[in-house]
Amino acid sequence: QVQLVESGGGLVQTGGSLRLSCAASRPNFSTINFMGWYRQAPGKQRELVATTMNGGSTNIARFTISRDNAKNTVYLQMNSLKPEDTAVYYCTVRTNGHDYWGRGTQVTVSS
């Protein structure tokens, strides 16, 4: 069982930046290979934003995923934010064949 808690969301103006954090309650965090961030805007499907796996990463433009194994935390750096980035952001990890999700953190970008 892995519990994930996101933080760092909030209200920001267009062009601003935010860094989201996702803290995992699991020892041996470094053994978790797959981690990702998704987002879901009102009335839309959940969308993949960034992943890190096998030492590599993928992400949409303006966003960067990173992890700190010493802090059991995965981050999402978001720059040059736009109103269309407004959504609830969720982190997820996959370990031992199971996917775990946090409850999400709201990001609102004002125009």
Side-chain angles (χ1 to χ4, degrees):
Q1 191 79 9
V2 180
Q3 292 184 331
L4 303 172
V5 179
E6 301 97 336
S7 61
L11 175 65
V12 63
Q13 291 185 336
T14 295
S17 298
L18 283 175
R19 189 177 77 158
L20 305 183
S21 301
C22 175
S25 64
R26 176 196 162 103
N28 301 318
F29 179 79
S30 61
T31 65
I32 298 177
N33 189 30
F34 177 84
M35 301 180 183
W37 286 93
Y38 285 73
R39 67 185 180 185
Q40 188 165 21
K44 295 187 177 181
Q45 290 187 332
R46 193 167 291 191
E47 174 190 17
L48 178 63
V49 172
T51 65
T52 179
M53 184 171 66
N54 294 329
S57 64
T58 63
N59 52 267
I60 63 174
R62 301 178 286 110
F63 292 8
T64 305
I65 189 171
S66 63
R67 61 190 288 176
D68 185 336
N69 291 334
K71 296 183 178 180
N72 286 13
T73 300
V74 58
Y75 302 98
L76 183 69
Q77 178 66 42
M78 308 185 295
N79 298 324
S80 302
L81 285 163
K82 303 176 181 180
E84 50 264 43
D85 295 319
T86 295
V88 178
Y89 285 72
Y90 301 89
C91 71
T92 181
V93 304
R94 181 177 303 148
T95 181
N96 295 329
H98 296 282
D99 291 333
Y100 299 92
W101 293 84
R103 292 188 174 185
T105 184
Q106 175 71 46
V107 171
T108 302
V109 184
S110 63
S111 57

